[in-house]
Amino acid sequence: MTRNTLIRAGRRDILKLAGAGAAAGLAMPAIARANKRYTIAVVPKSLDNPVFYTAHYGAMQRAKELGDVDLIWTASASSDASQEAEIVQNLITRHVDGMAIDANAPQPLIAPVNEAVEKGIVTITWDSDVPGSKRQVYYGVDNTKMGVSMGEQALKFMGTKGKVILISGGPGATNLNARLAGVRQVMGKHKGIEFLGPYFDNDDLTKAQELIDNVLTAHPDAGAIVDVAAVAFFGKLSAMPKLIANRGKVKIIGSDVLAPEIPLVEKGYVQALVGQDYWGWGYQTVTIIHNMLTNKKCHYPTLVPQAMPVVTKANAAHWVKLWDEAKTPAGAAKAFREAPIGCMG
């Protein structure tokens, strides 16, 4: 089952937002030219993963700022590669002007992405790429470098000897596999490191929390757990009694710096998190597509990279404040505001 959201941003919305934008220090672009409107679809991996909520806010904000965008936010209810391919195919049938896709797995999407590009639809990817396709741009972190950063944090907290348990989400996710490779690249340089896994939770919260507790039970002598998806940390801490009991013995390194995760760092259950620009996933993908639609001379490199913030106990309080402010679309726009990415060529 899928559902989607269509947001039509008209002149009245822009005038309202202009006042709010001025108060927040945001530069407001000109109202849509010649009444031409563009339908832009943003496709996250799923609708049930909170990592994408802020991206949705960002996409809505940018559509309102531009004033000539009809935004479609659509995905399967939970992560499903075959359903995602069907959704992309349906968007092609609907003749959208552009789409930004976060791939559950690349292979099922290569053919529909290529078809979209061949039919003149501006098609980019974000978060998780579709290598081997004709997509024009990938916007997101360099996931190999993100894995390297996570591995460096693990070495910082555990040292250069011991078992390192690798955990991931879906086995076909390009972004997560690149992170695993990055972890192995930096930690594998040390002869005292022994890797176990990777173990997969398929981005399912219940499975993810059970997996964390299971590996802590099976390997209480491990040096670290490096979870490149970190879905387990999106739920209640009480669901992971082994993690509670562990509290810093086996060092825990996770991905993302989302609101539910930060208290785990503050309280010492997780030692470090490496994050992404969640607001930008929506805000900047709409920006990039719109620029390419309205300016045929506008070009971007194959990879438009994001920053990768690191959260430890030293700066966790700052991130708590950011997420407290970002609970609403307007609050998120203030907390995570950033300049639109202009053309790069």
Side-chain angles (χ1 to χ4, degrees):
M1 179 181 295
T2 63
R3 56 191 173 92
N4 62 70
T5 307
L6 174 65
I7 300 100
R8 184 176 179 87
R11 181 178 178 83
R12 183 179 299 176
D13 297 314
I14 290 295
L15 292 176
K16 287 181 180 178
L17 190 65
L26 293 171
M28 304 303 297
I31 300 297
R33 46 191 93 51
N35 295 321
K36 168 67 177 175
R37 301 195 65 82
Y38 301 94
T39 300
I40 297 176
V42 182
V43 185
K45 287 181 181 176
S46 69
L47 296 174
D48 65 351
N49 190 333
V51 75
F52 302 124
Y53 296 169
T54 305
H56 192 183
Y57 290 164
M60 290 192 294
Q61 172 79 5
R62 190 61 179 140
K64 288 181 179 180
E65 288 177 7
L66 290 165
D68 57 358
V69 170
D70 294 330
L71 175 69
I72 299 173
W73 180 269
T74 184
S76 54
S78 58
S79 295
D80 188 297
S82 60
Q83 286 188 28
E84 185 173 44
E86 291 176 11
I87 288 167
V88 172
Q89 197 66 57
N90 288 337
L91 291 171
I92 296 170
T93 302
R94 292 175 65 173
H95 304 291
V96 299
D97 296 295
M99 66 175 84
I101 304 164
D102 183 6
N104 278 288
Q107 195 60 39
L109 288 172
I110 291 176
V113 165
N114 289 350
E115 180 182 349
V117 174
E118 289 163 3
K119 291 186 175 180
I121 298 170
V122 174
T123 305
I124 71 174
T125 56
W126 56 280
D127 182 35
S128 185
D129 197 10
V130 185
S133 72
K134 296 179 180 179
R135 61 96 176 100
Q136 284 110 315
V137 176
Y138 166 63
Y139 172 74
V141 298
D142 182 321
N143 281 287
T144 301
K145 289 183 179 179
M146 185 175 183
V148 167
S149 180
M150 295 176 75
E152 289 171 344
Q153 290 298 316
L155 291 169
K156 172 184 172 182
F157 284 100
M158 71 165 278
T160 58
K161 292 183 180 180
K163 296 177 183 176
V164 177
I165 301 169
L166 301 177
I167 295 179
S168 186
T174 307
N175 60 334
L176 302 183
N177 288 335
R179 291 177 202 173
L180 289 171
V183 174
R184 289 182 180 276
Q185 175 184 317
V186 69
M187 299 193 78
K189 295 176 181 178
H190 301 278
K191 294 181 179 180
I193 296 295
E194 176 188 355
F195 292 109
L196 301 177
Y199 303 98
F200 299 99
D201 57 37
N202 295 309
D203 293 330
D204 180 276
L205 176 59
T206 301
K207 291 180 181 178
Q209 293 187 317
E210 289 175 351
L211 180 56
I212 286 285
D213 269 20
N214 287 343
V215 296
L216 283 170
T217 300
H219 304 284
D221 60 338
I225 295 173
V226 182
D227 190 339
V228 300
V231 173
F233 307 144
F234 300 164
K236 293 182 179 180
L237 177 61
S238 59
M240 297 176 285
K242 295 297 183 182
L243 180 65
I244 294 172
N246 177 71
R247 197 166 192 169
K249 296 171 187 174
V250 177
K251 309 306 180 184
I252 311 289
I253 311 298
S255 66
D256 296 314
V257 290
L258 295 167
E261 299 175 283
I262 308 301
L264 301 182
V265 178
E266 280 193 304
K267 296 174 183 178
Y269 298 110
V270 173
Q271 278 57 60
L273 298 168
V274 180
Q276 306 172 78
D277 180 3
Y278 314 103
W279 174 262
W281 280 345
Y283 188 88
Q284 302 295 5
T285 54
V286 172
T287 296
I288 291 168
I289 290 173
H290 187 269
N291 286 346
M292 294 176 72
L293 286 168
T294 57
N295 181 359
K296 299 305 179 185
K297 294 182 179 180
C298 181
H299 300 287
Y300 291 91
T302 301
L303 168 65
V304 178
Q306 294 185 321
M308 295 179 291
V310 176
V311 174
T312 64
K313 189 173 284 189
N315 63 343
H318 168 70
W319 281 88
V320 169
K321 291 180 180 178
L322 283 179
W323 284 114
D324 281 345
E325 188 173 29
K327 290 178 179 177
T328 65
K334 184 177 180 181
F336 299 121
R337 63 182 179 271
E338 56 192 50
I341 295 175
C343 300
M344 296 182 176

